[in-house]
Amino acid sequence: MSKMRLAIVGAGPAGIYAADMMIKAERDFDVEIDLFDQLPAPYGLVRYGVSPDHPRIKGIIKALREVLDRTDRGNDSDASAEGAGSQGPHGSVHYYGNVRYGEHITLEDLKRHYHAVIFSTGAIRDAQLSIPGIDAEASYGAADFVSWFDGHPDVPREWPLEAKQVAVIGNGNVALDVSRMLIKHAEDLLPTEIPDNVHRVLDQNPIEELHLFGRRGPQYVKFTPLELRELGEVRDVDMVIDERDFDLDDPYVTETLMSNKQIIVISRIMNQWREAQKLRESGEVAPASRRLHLHFWSKPVEVVTENGRVAGIKIERTAPDGQGGIIDTGEFEVIPVQSLYRAIGYFGSPLEEIPFDDVRGVIPNEQGRVQSADGSQMQGVYATGWIKRGPVGLIGHTKSDAMETIECLLEDRSKLWQPSEPESAAIPELLRSRNVPFTTVEGWHRLDEHELSLGEAAGRERIKVVSREEMTKVSLGE
């Protein structure tokens, strides 16, 4: 094999990191990588899963862009260079956006044109919460809401924000993102790349109180200190703490958790909120117009409904078992809310002709090598990112994950597919023959510049385009 042809399905951080790792890997042959994504723009959850008021986290786009832009991007008029991204002495990366696996390109197509494929399609669905009433009207999944406020082209343009009291279930960073976007005043989001339709809806949000629920105590949260601190810095919002949540004796906290520097910082932040609350209660500080209540040791057991709509959330107080777990207390409480968001994790989606674990929401694999139903290795098929290991860890964790998959793929070099049509020009020709309006790196640059110009005209940094049709037309220069 003088040259390896590799397909990567999914152009989020996991896919782009995998391409970067392969290009940089020690090897004695050239590699050509085609990176596919179902959306017209790359970057996956960095573009469509991180709230718009997180420019520091979105800074990772700069590193991802360098992978696609490392050198000459090629020429759109040259069929052999269609989709060209980065090109170095031992390999190249080509990007094809607006291409759906299973519809525009199939597993048989990949076998015909490549030596192997890596699936890096992530996890974009909400994990389920099985409690009575969870499917009531005005009960939502956090992933759907995040896709909406991030301007994902495949979700509705409107969102029903009608509740004055709102519940968010979860104690991870997604729960904080959802809470912050719901409680924040819309005008404070204008410096971000928030889409116009999202700002318009948020500007009419009548919310007064948000209740954030976690089953365990304040030292067990999965928040990062930065995210938590940002929540407390939202203008005109009071953080409301229940002192009962801090009075429980828990040996596991003192002996184990408080040795973690992150937990120490998180405890310090919450203690500052407790002190600020005392000042408000004494009348020394005026109350804000909106309040965010943090409920720990609170396990949701039922969504209370009226006429099929969310009317409240019933929680059971829990207590520590002294070993990092919880016990039920039999003490219940109903808190009135008119809408609810569950932010308890993401879940992967099955892919055509690829094995799928319906329980874990991942592609079954061993170190990235995809496994068939009988447990044997599936020739030429690999996985990386959340579809490989589940939705755990931060974006940066996908680097080591991608490295593991790439190392396994290189070890399997002699056992990969033997493509009958490995020519570079075959893919753009195939997509054109199927009337797929695919986008390239050059197209992404056009869209990027267009969004920046929209923002400049409105006195903002960027305004994100949310229509797939408009995204595609701008990318294609139409």
Side-chain angles (χ1 to χ4, degrees), residues 258-412:
M258 291 311 290
S259 63
N260 184 306
K261 291 183 179 179
Q262 283 208 149
I263 298 302
I264 293 173
V265 174
I266 285 171
S267 296
R268 188 180 302 134
I269 293 169
M270 292 190 185
N271 286 335
Q272 292 170 352
W273 293 347
R274 294 166 72 189
E275 292 301 315
Q277 181 168 282
K278 291 177 182 177
L279 293 177
R280 290 196 306 273
E281 291 172 347
S282 68
E284 296 182 45
V285 176
S289 68
R290 294 178 175 180
R291 293 169 296 283
L292 196 156
H293 302 257
L294 289 100
H295 302 269
F296 300 106
W297 305 112
S298 298
K299 183 177 74 173
V301 295
E302 181 183 354
V303 178
V304 179
T305 63
E306 290 181 5
N307 300 320
R309 290 185 60 89
V310 173
I313 182 167
K314 183 179 181 180
I315 61 103
E316 180 177 11
R317 290 286 296 179
T318 60
D321 66 1
Q323 299 178 338
I326 61 172
I327 57 175
D328 298 335
T329 67
E331 178 185 343
F332 298 92
E333 181 181 359
V334 174
I335 297 172
V337 295
Q338 298 86 49
S339 71
L340 176 148
Y341 295 78
R342 67 182 188 278
I344 58 172
Y346 286 113
F347 200 81
S349 300
L351 296 161
E352 192 168 314
E353 298 187 81
I354 303 299
F356 188 72
D357 185 333
D358 292 307
V359 176
R360 297 180 55 224
V362 299
I363 295 174
N365 70 92
E366 184 67 36
Q367 295 182 303
R369 295 181 172 104
V370 173
Q371 295 176 307
S372 299
D374 61 4
S376 62
Q377 181 180 344
M378 192 172 183
Q379 182 187 17
V381 183
Y382 299 81
T384 192
W386 281 4
I387 198 64
K388 167 187 174 183
R389 57 187 165 86
V392 293
L394 302 176
I395 291 172
H397 294 159
T398 57
K399 288 186 177 181
S400 58
D401 194 48
M403 177 59 76
E404 179 183 65
T405 296
I406 292 299
E407 288 175 349
C408 290
L409 192 155
L410 290 172
E411 288 177 9
D412 298 342

Side-chain angles (χ1 to χ4, degrees), residues 17-314:
Y17 283 144
D20 192 37
M21 298 292 181
M22 176 58 90
I23 292 294
K24 294 177 178 177
E26 291 188 12
R27 47 191 163 74
D28 57 2
F29 57 92
D30 288 348
V31 64
E32 188 171 71
I33 301 170
D34 287 350
L35 192 60
F36 297 94
D37 200 275
Q38 66 173 337
L39 296 173
Y43 310 140
L45 280 180
V46 178
R47 180 173 167 93
Y48 292 112
V50 178
S51 59
D53 59 346
H54 267 175
R56 283 170 290 189
I57 293 179
K58 283 182 178 282
I60 198 171
I61 283 180
K62 180 180 179 182
L64 298 178
R65 180 166 177 159
E66 287 175 356
V67 178
L68 300 181
D69 291 350
R70 190 172 289 112
T71 55
D72 179 24
R73 297 194 302 269
N75 187 323
D76 276 344
S77 63
D78 180 358
S80 66
E82 284 283 8
S86 64
Q87 206 163 30
H90 302 294
S92 61
V93 178
H94 309 267
Y95 168 71
Y96 297 95
N98 212 32
V99 178
R100 294 183 184 274
Y101 169 77
E103 179 182 344
H104 299 140
I105 194 164
T106 67
L107 185 62
E108 286 305 311
D109 294 327
L110 298 178
K111 289 180 179 180
R112 190 166 63 253
H113 297 291
Y114 301 94
H115 293 91
V117 60
I118 299 175
F119 287 98
S120 57
T121 50
I124 60 173
R125 291 188 294 162
D126 284 287
Q128 295 300 308
L129 178 62
S130 297
I131 60 175
I134 194 64
D135 294 324
E137 188 177 352
S139 174
Y140 310 107
D144 293 335
F145 184 57
V146 172
S147 293
W148 172 75
F149 68 59
D150 265 332
H152 194 292
D154 297 337
V155 301
R157 300 289 173 263
E158 302 296 324
W159 191 273
L161 293 179
E162 303 165 347
K164 292 184 177 181
Q165 288 83 33
V166 179
V168 176
I169 300 173
N171 266 184
N173 282 344
V174 174
L176 290 190
D177 279 354
V178 168
S179 298
R180 198 176 59 257
M181 290 297 291
L182 285 167
I183 204 72
K184 202 168 192 175
H185 291 278
E187 62 190 71
D188 295 334
L189 289 165
L190 283 175
T192 76
E193 61 180 45
I194 186 172
D196 278 342
N197 65 298
V198 175
H199 176 262
R200 184 183 67 252
V201 173
L202 289 175
D203 195 42
Q204 302 301 314
N205 187 7
I207 191 171
E208 296 175 357
E209 295 184 298
L210 186 144
H211 298 269
L212 180 61
F213 296 93
R215 296 184 304 124
R216 297 195 290 177
Q219 290 85 11
Y220 291 87
V221 297
K222 301 300 182 182
F223 313 140
T224 55
L226 175 62
E227 291 257 5
L228 190 65
R229 185 178 290 112
E230 287 177 343
L231 186 66
E233 294 172 350
V234 176
R235 182 182 64 85
D236 193 32
V237 174
D238 286 335
M239 307 301 293
V240 182
I241 303 290
D242 187 339
E243 287 296 330
R244 294 180 302 169
D245 295 338
F246 294 83
D247 293 339
L248 297 177
D249 182 32
D250 186 355
Y252 189 79
V253 169
T254 55
E255 297 172 7
T256 304
L257 292 182
M258 291 311 290
S259 63
N260 184 306
K261 291 183 179 179
Q262 283 208 149
I263 298 302
I264 293 173
V265 174
I266 285 171
S267 296
R268 188 180 302 134
I269 293 169
M270 292 190 185
N271 286 335
Q272 292 170 352
W273 293 347
R274 294 166 72 189
E275 292 301 315
Q277 181 168 282
K278 291 177 182 177
L279 293 177
R280 290 196 306 273
E281 291 172 347
S282 68
E284 296 182 45
V285 176
S289 68
R290 294 178 175 180
R291 293 169 296 283
L292 196 156
H293 302 257
L294 289 100
H295 302 269
F296 300 106
W297 305 112
S298 298
K299 183 177 74 173
V301 295
E302 181 183 354
V303 178
V304 179
T305 63
E306 290 181 5
N307 300 320
R309 290 185 60 89
V310 173
I313 182 167
K314 183 179 181 180

